[in-house]
Amino acid sequence: MSVADGGAGECVFCQIASGAEPASIVRADDEVLAFLTHQPVNAGHVLVVPRTHVVGLADLPDATGAAMWKLAQEIATTLRHDPAWSDGVNLHLSDGAAAGQHVFHVHLHVIPRFRGDGLRITDERHHPPTRHELDEAATKLRGALGR
C-alpha cells in the first residue's frame, strides 16, 4: 500500500500499530513496534516503525528515532548470533519517493542477509567522485547542518 499524502487514516503501518490490521509482531512497546514484512528478502526481515504517524526523517522526534534504532540493533544482534538466521544484516531506511519509500510512514528495515541471496545495495558508478569533489560536498553539507 502506498500512502502518498501521508494520511494516518489510510496508513497501513498505523493500522497495524492500532491492531486494525494483522501483523506478525516481533516486539512492541508504547513508542515503537517491530513486525515481519510481508515481502521479505529472507526469513526474519523485520520493519521497525513508530506507533505515531511520521512520514519521514525530518518529522521524526529524536527520542522515537533512538527507540527505533535501539530496537533494530537488538533484532540485528539476535539475527547475527545464529547462523541459521543470517550471515550478515543490513539496516535500511528509504526517506521519500525518490529514495524508494512506498509506505509514507517512516520505517527501518532489519534485513537478514546470506551470501548469494540476490539483494544488491550498491552503486556501480564507472567514475567515482574525486577527493576534491568529495571535499567540496563535505564543506557544503557542513555549512548546511544545523540550519
Side-chain angles (χ1 to χ4, degrees), residues 54-62 95 106:
V54 178
V55 174
L57 287 173
D59 301 316
L60 184 66
D62 291 346
D95 187 26
V106 68

Side-chain angles (χ1 to χ4, degrees):
M1 176 175 180
S2 189
V3 182
D5 69 356
E10 299 176 18
C11 175
V12 67
F13 293 167
C14 288
Q15 292 171 358
I16 289 170
S18 72
E21 285 290 325
S24 299
I25 305 293
V26 173
R27 172 78 53 88
D29 63 28
D30 291 340
E31 192 161 23
V32 297
L33 70 150
F35 53 90
L36 295 175
T37 180
H38 70 280
Q39 296 180 331
V41 171
N42 290 307
H45 182 161
V46 172
L47 301 179
V48 179
V49 305
R51 283 194 174 273
T52 58
H53 188 73
V54 178
V55 174
L57 287 173
D59 301 316
L60 184 66
D62 291 346
T64 305
M68 288 175 64
W69 182 264
K70 182 180 178 190
L71 181 52
Q73 184 179 15
E74 182 181 353
I75 293 165
T77 300
T78 299
L79 292 168
R80 289 289 288 137
H81 278 295
D82 185 346
W85 278 114
S86 72
D87 293 331
V89 174
N90 283 121
L91 299 180
H92 179 85
L93 190 147
S94 297
D95 187 26
Q101 185 177 8
H102 298 288
V103 177
F104 291 88
H105 180 125
V106 68
H107 54 286
L108 179 58
H109 292 257
V110 182
I111 308 169
R113 299 296 308 278
F114 292 97
R115 286 178 187 84
D117 65 14
L119 179 64
R120 295 180 47 87
I121 303 174
T122 62
D123 180 4
E124 296 181 6
R125 294 180 190 204
H126 297 291
H127 303 290
T130 65
R131 174 57 49 204
H132 177 73
E133 290 168 329
L134 290 170
D135 288 344
E136 282 183 342
T139 298
K140 193 173 186 179
L141 183 55
R142 268 194 312 273
L145 284 172
R147 285 188 192 165

